[in-house]
PDB file of all heavy atoms in Angstrom:
ATOM      1  N   ILE T 404       4.083  19.589 -33.185  1.00 98.00           N
ATOM      2  CA  ILE T 404       5.312  20.211 -32.895  1.00 98.00           C
ATOM      3  C   ILE T 404       5.283  21.645 -33.236  1.00 98.00           C
ATOM      4  O   ILE T 404       5.993  22.517 -32.576  1.00 98.00           O
ATOM      5  CB  ILE T 404       6.456  19.469 -33.630  1.00 98.00           C
ATOM      6  CG1 ILE T 404       6.482  18.082 -33.184  1.00 98.00           C
ATOM      7  CG2 ILE T 404       7.752  20.084 -33.527  1.00 98.00           C
ATOM      8  CD1 ILE T 404       7.494  17.101 -33.992  1.00 98.00           C
ATOM      9  N   ALA T 405       4.691  22.134 -34.346  1.00 98.00           N
ATOM     10  CA  ALA T 405       4.699  23.468 -34.809  1.00 98.00           C
ATOM     11  C   ALA T 405       3.980  24.305 -33.664  1.00 98.00           C
ATOM     12  O   ALA T 405       4.405  25.446 -33.382  1.00 98.00           O
ATOM     13  CB  ALA T 405       3.995  23.581 -36.043  1.00 98.00           C
ATOM     14  N   LYS T 406       2.872  23.702 -33.055  1.00 97.00           N
ATOM     15  CA  LYS T 406       2.089  24.511 -32.183  1.00 97.00           C
ATOM     16  C   LYS T 406       2.606  24.489 -30.665  1.00 97.00           C
ATOM     17  O   LYS T 406       2.675  25.564 -30.059  1.00 97.00           O
ATOM     18  CB  LYS T 406       0.666  23.883 -32.135  1.00 97.00           C
ATOM     19  CG  LYS T 406      -0.208  24.698 -31.265  1.00 97.00           C
ATOM     20  CD  LYS T 406      -1.733  24.077 -31.398  1.00 97.00           C
ATOM     21  CE  LYS T 406      -2.729  24.853 -30.587  1.00 97.00           C
ATOM     22  NZ  LYS T 406      -4.183  24.378 -30.631  1.00 97.00           N
ATOM     23  N   PHE T 407       3.165  23.308 -30.339  1.00 97.00           N
ATOM     24  CA  PHE T 407       3.487  23.234 -28.954  1.00 97.00           C
ATOM     25  C   PHE T 407       5.077  23.145 -28.625  1.00 97.00           C
ATOM     26  O   PHE T 407       5.499  23.245 -27.532  1.00 97.00           O
ATOM     27  CB  PHE T 407       2.882  21.961 -28.241  1.00 97.00           C
ATOM     28  CG  PHE T 407       1.472  22.137 -28.267  1.00 97.00           C
ATOM     29  CD1 PHE T 407       0.603  21.525 -29.055  1.00 97.00           C
ATOM     30  CD2 PHE T 407       0.768  22.913 -27.203  1.00 97.00           C
ATOM     31  CE1 PHE T 407      -0.767  21.660 -28.979  1.00 97.00           C
ATOM     32  CE2 PHE T 407      -0.642  22.989 -27.047  1.00 97.00           C
ATOM     33  CZ  PHE T 407      -1.391  22.306 -28.069  1.00 97.00           C
ATOM     34  N   GLY T 408       5.867  22.891 -29.680  1.00 98.00           N
ATOM     35  CA  GLY T 408       7.270  22.853 -29.433  1.00 98.00           C
ATOM     36  C   GLY T 408       7.878  24.087 -29.398  1.00 98.00           C
ATOM     37  O   GLY T 408       7.435  25.214 -29.758  1.00 98.00           O
ATOM     38  N   ASP T 409       9.125  24.088 -28.722  1.00 98.00           N
ATOM     39  CA  ASP T 409       9.873  25.392 -28.608  1.00 98.00           C
ATOM     40  C   ASP T 409      10.699  25.506 -29.947  1.00 98.00           C
ATOM     41  O   ASP T 409      10.660  24.674 -30.811  1.00 98.00           O
ATOM     42  CB  ASP T 409      10.693  25.335 -27.416  1.00 98.00           C
ATOM     43  CG  ASP T 409      11.783  24.107 -27.320  1.00 98.00           C
ATOM     44  OD1 ASP T 409      12.220  23.726 -28.396  1.00 98.00           O
ATOM     45  OD2 ASP T 409      12.037  23.700 -26.185  1.00 98.00           O
ATOM     46  N   GLU T 410      11.420  26.659 -30.009  1.00 98.00           N
ATOM     47  CA  GLU T 410      12.064  26.929 -31.252  1.00 98.00           C
ATOM     48  C   GLU T 410      13.059  25.804 -31.531  1.00 98.00           C
ATOM     49  O   GLU T 410      13.244  25.427 -32.834  1.00 98.00           O
ATOM     50  CB  GLU T 410      12.765  28.235 -31.222  1.00 98.00           C
ATOM     51  CG  GLU T 410      13.320  28.816 -32.537  1.00 98.00           C
ATOM     52  CD  GLU T 410      12.302  28.829 -33.581  1.00 98.00           C
ATOM     53  OE1 GLU T 410      11.089  29.059 -33.269  1.00 98.00           O
ATOM     54  OE2 GLU T 410      12.639  28.801 -34.816  1.00 98.00           O
ATOM     55  N   ALA T 411      13.803  25.433 -30.627  1.00 98.00           N
ATOM     56  CA  ALA T 411      14.876  24.301 -30.790  1.00 98.00           C
ATOM     57  C   ALA T 411      14.114  23.043 -31.410  1.00 98.00           C
ATOM     58  O   ALA T 411      14.650  22.369 -32.307  1.00 98.00           O
ATOM     59  CB  ALA T 411      15.571  24.028 -29.621  1.00 98.00           C
ATOM     60  N   GLN T 412      12.991  22.702 -30.903  1.00 98.00           N
ATOM     61  CA  GLN T 412      12.282  21.483 -31.255  1.00 98.00           C
ATOM     62  C   GLN T 412      11.774  21.627 -32.608  1.00 98.00           C
ATOM     63  O   GLN T 412      11.833  20.716 -33.480  1.00 98.00           O
ATOM     64  CB  GLN T 412      11.191  21.179 -30.361  1.00 98.00           C
ATOM     65  CG  GLN T 412      11.720  20.640 -28.968  1.00 98.00           C
ATOM     66  CD  GLN T 412      10.601  20.680 -27.904  1.00 98.00           C
ATOM     67  OE1 GLN T 412       9.525  21.453 -28.013  1.00 98.00           O
ATOM     68  NE2 GLN T 412      10.799  19.795 -26.903  1.00 98.00           N
ATOM     69  N   ARG T 413      11.291  22.795 -33.044  1.00 98.00           N
ATOM     70  CA  ARG T 413      10.780  23.054 -34.308  1.00 98.00           C
ATOM     71  C   ARG T 413      11.912  23.013 -35.314  1.00 98.00           C
ATOM     72  O   ARG T 413      11.797  22.344 -36.385  1.00 98.00           O
ATOM     73  CB  ARG T 413      10.115  24.487 -34.431  1.00 98.00           C
ATOM     74  CG  ARG T 413       8.810  24.656 -33.494  1.00 98.00           C
ATOM     75  CD  ARG T 413       8.171  25.917 -33.861  1.00 98.00           C
ATOM     76  NE  ARG T 413       7.188  26.230 -32.880  1.00 98.00           N
ATOM     77  CZ  ARG T 413       7.211  27.136 -31.866  1.00 98.00           C
ATOM     78  NH1 ARG T 413       8.331  27.880 -31.857  1.00 98.00           N
ATOM     79  NH2 ARG T 413       6.252  27.384 -31.175  1.00 98.00           N
ATOM     80  N   GLU T 414      12.949  23.622 -35.077  1.00 98.00           N
ATOM     81  CA  GLU T 414      14.118  23.591 -35.982  1.00 98.00           C
ATOM     82  C   GLU T 414      14.718  22.204 -36.033  1.00 98.00           C
ATOM     83  O   GLU T 414      15.273  21.893 -37.234  1.00 98.00           O
ATOM     84  CB  GLU T 414      15.247  24.531 -35.570  1.00 98.00           C
ATOM     85  CG  GLU T 414      14.783  26.074 -35.690  1.00 98.00           C
ATOM     86  CD  GLU T 414      15.842  27.069 -35.132  1.00 98.00           C
ATOM     87  OE1 GLU T 414      16.886  26.581 -34.737  1.00 98.00           O
ATOM     88  OE2 GLU T 414      15.670  28.216 -35.297  1.00 98.00           O
ATOM     89  N   ARG T 415      14.635  21.421 -35.086  1.00 98.00           N
ATOM     90  CA  ARG T 415      15.168  20.114 -35.176  1.00 98.00           C
ATOM     91  C   ARG T 415      14.366  19.143 -35.983  1.00 98.00           C
ATOM     92  O   ARG T 415      14.912  18.226 -36.684  1.00 98.00           O
ATOM     93  CB  ARG T 415      15.316  19.532 -33.693  1.00 98.00           C
ATOM     94  CG  ARG T 415      15.906  18.263 -33.548  1.00 98.00           C
ATOM     95  CD  ARG T 415      16.002  17.774 -32.004  1.00 98.00           C
ATOM     96  NE  ARG T 415      16.370  16.398 -31.837  1.00 98.00           N
ATOM     97  CZ  ARG T 415      16.335  15.796 -30.682  1.00 98.00           C
ATOM     98  NH1 ARG T 415      15.968  16.437 -29.671  1.00 98.00           N
ATOM     99  NH2 ARG T 415      16.751  14.467 -30.560  1.00 98.00           N
ATOM    100  N   TRP T 416      13.063  19.134 -35.680  1.00 98.00           N
ATOM    101  CA  TRP T 416      12.229  18.074 -36.346  1.00 98.00           C
ATOM    102  C   TRP T 416      11.298  18.487 -37.513  1.00 98.00           C
ATOM    103  O   TRP T 416      11.106  17.793 -38.390  1.00 98.00           O
ATOM    104  CB  TRP T 416      11.331  17.586 -35.241  1.00 98.00           C
ATOM    105  CG  TRP T 416      11.935  16.753 -34.253  1.00 98.00           C
ATOM    106  CD1 TRP T 416      12.953  15.835 -34.342  1.00 98.00           C
ATOM    107  CD2 TRP T 416      11.780  16.819 -32.803  1.00 98.00           C
ATOM    108  NE1 TRP T 416      13.463  15.348 -33.158  1.00 98.00           N
ATOM    109  CE2 TRP T 416      12.687  15.937 -32.110  1.00 98.00           C
ATOM    110  CE3 TRP T 416      11.069  17.632 -31.890  1.00 98.00           C
ATOM    111  CZ2 TRP T 416      12.823  15.808 -30.803  1.00 98.00           C
ATOM    112  CZ3 TRP T 416      11.073  17.543 -30.478  1.00 98.00           C
ATOM    113  CH2 TRP T 416      12.056  16.607 -29.974  1.00 98.00           C
ATOM    114  N   LEU T 417      10.948  19.739 -37.533  1.00 98.00           N
ATOM    115  CA  LEU T 417       9.860  20.067 -38.549  1.00 98.00           C
ATOM    116  C   LEU T 417      10.476  20.070 -40.077  1.00 98.00           C
ATOM    117  O   LEU T 417       9.780  19.569 -40.944  1.00 98.00           O
ATOM    118  CB  LEU T 417       9.358  21.506 -38.381  1.00 98.00           C
ATOM    119  CG  LEU T 417       8.418  21.660 -37.190  1.00 98.00           C
ATOM    120  CD1 LEU T 417       7.800  23.168 -37.052  1.00 98.00           C
ATOM    121  CD2 LEU T 417       7.149  20.639 -37.434  1.00 98.00           C
TER     122      LEU T 417
END
Side-chain angles (χ1 to χ4, degrees):
I404 295 172
K406 184 175 181 179
F407 294 101
D409 59 32
E410 188 59 30
Q412 291 169 334
R413 295 189 192 108
E414 291 180 355
R415 177 182 176 188
W416 291 314
L417 288 181

